[in-house]
Amino acid sequence: MLAFLVAASGLVLGYWLVSVFLSTPKPSGAESGDDREPEAPHVVDIGARHWTEVLGVAADADEAQITAAYRRCIAENHPDRVATMAAEIRTLASERTAEINAAYDLAMRSTKR
């Protein structure tokens, strides 16, 4: 019986420690009565380039072809692949990745319509 109580108290203490140390702190000013709107998601403008140029597919490509092109482009330009290179190259890779993600989102929205 004593071993059960020790194990139960250990589990409770462990749960409490994990919840205290892994909980995300509230940002300052985010009280329970705060009526601010959440921030809008970050939108990347791909400029004058069409999503077909960014992904390298034809305009009449189906969803599977678009997804394959997206995965190929992300594999080539992902910032993790250039993590050991210069800061300029890492910045360029992250910008290119954001552009590819934005183009993929546009492509998926246009194929759903």
Side-chain angles (χ1 to χ4, degrees):
M1 180 70 176
L2 183 61
F4 176 74
L5 290 175
V6 170
S9 63
L11 287 173
V12 169
L13 180 63
Y15 178 77
W16 177 77
L17 285 173
V18 167
S19 66
V20 167
F21 289 112
L22 293 182
S23 65
T24 57
K26 288 185 179 180
S28 61
E31 312 304 326
S32 61
D34 197 6
D35 292 333
R36 291 185 297 167
E37 288 187 25
E39 291 185 24
H42 181 69
V43 177
V44 176
D45 182 24
I46 60 174
R49 295 176 61 185
H50 195 263
W51 61 264
T52 56
E53 282 183 56
V54 175
L55 295 177
V57 295
D60 61 346
D62 65 349
E63 192 171 328
Q65 291 171 332
I66 293 170
T67 302
Y70 166 76
R71 289 181 179 165
R72 178 183 36 80
C73 289
I74 283 294
E76 293 171 0
N77 297 290
H78 201 275
D80 290 344
R81 289 184 61 116
V82 293
T84 59
M85 294 185 178
E88 297 87 20
I89 295 174
R90 289 192 311 263
T91 303
L92 183 63
S94 64
E95 290 172 0
R96 179 79 172 126
T97 301
E99 181 183 39
I100 292 167
N101 285 329
Y104 180 71
D105 288 340
L106 284 173
M108 286 294 110
R109 275 191 253 140
S110 69
T111 59
K112 298 289 182 194
R113 291 181 186 167

